Amino acid sequence: MLDSGENTAGRRRDTWLRLKGLGYLQQDWRDEGQWTKLPSRVKRVWYISSALTDVVVLLICAVAVVVLMHLEWWGVWQRTVVVIAAVLSLLDLMLRPLVSRYEFAVNQFILGEHEVSIRKGWFLRKLTVIPYNRVQHVETKQGPFLHAFSLMSVEIHTAVGAHVIDALEIDDAMSVVGQITAKVRSEKEDL
């Protein structure tokens, strides 16, 4: 039996109230005015990175065709696998501008009083709330594409794993690391 929209909205509200009651959410995470957006250049970084991956997959498909034909192993299954891989890569290449636009609209973060909240995903949406007292360390990363666009990612490490703010201006990334580090220090002193 399917739930009505009101039931689903009610359950979401109940979950939010439980999280707020536990002290994990100090602000209303649904308020769009509080979220910090990533720089718009990150869309180009995502597109270039994805395009490079797609081109590599297409080159691998081309090499596979040549090798398999030369070895006379070019059968139905080999054709099917190569065609599916090539079509998926071409489809990703064509849809990447649209996907990047939606990812950019959703990927945001908040530095709250007691937690960092990171919102991601354009199809499968995810909200990660990281209390400062659970943070082990914070680091920045800058690969070749981020470096070319003067951007830097911030990784927040907990015992469970790493949580990433995908790309910020270099000065903003260093500021975020400083703010998180200061809040982690003050939260751990309060314990």
Side-chain angles (χ1 to χ4, degrees), residues 43-144:
K43 292 186 281 189
R44 283 182 263 158
V45 171
W46 289 336
Y47 183 74
I48 291 169
S49 177
S50 178
L52 185 63
T53 302
D54 292 335
V55 167
V56 168
V57 169
L58 290 172
L59 287 173
I60 290 171
C61 288
V63 169
V65 167
V66 170
V67 169
L68 291 173
M69 287 180 89
H70 179 71
L71 296 175
E72 297 180 8
W73 291 349
W74 190 240
V76 173
W77 288 109
Q78 291 84 355
R79 284 185 193 127
T80 304
V81 169
V82 168
V83 166
I84 287 173
V87 166
L88 288 176
S89 290
L90 287 171
L91 194 61
D92 182 58
L93 195 58
M94 290 185 308
L95 294 177
R96 179 50 51 183
L98 181 64
V99 170
S100 293
R101 185 177 304 136
Y102 284 113
E103 283 179 338
F104 174 74
V106 176
N107 287 4
Q108 301 172 3
F109 70 98
I110 294 177
L111 297 180
E113 187 177 335
H114 299 285
E115 77 286 326
V116 178
S117 301
I118 302 172
R119 187 166 60 178
K120 290 187 172 197
W122 67 275
F123 182 68
L124 300 173
R125 298 202 176 176
K126 178 172 119 177
L127 172 68
T128 305
V129 179
I130 309 156
Y132 290 125
N133 62 359
R134 300 288 185 219
V135 174
Q136 292 181 340
H137 70 278
V138 183
E139 66 183 8
T140 58
K141 287 195 175 179
Q142 188 180 47

Side-chain angles (χ1 to χ4, degrees), residues 7-19:
N7 265 348
T8 304
R11 275 200 309 267
R12 274 191 227 127
R13 176 86 178 144
D14 291 344
T15 301
W16 175 76
L17 289 173
R18 278 196 305 270
L19 286 171

Side-chain angles (χ1 to χ4, degrees), residues 141-160:
K141 287 195 175 179
Q142 188 180 47
F145 297 127
L146 290 175
H147 181 72
F149 287 92
S150 298
L151 297 172
M152 188 177 277
S153 66
V154 175
E155 284 190 8
I156 304 164
H157 293 268
T158 63
V160 176

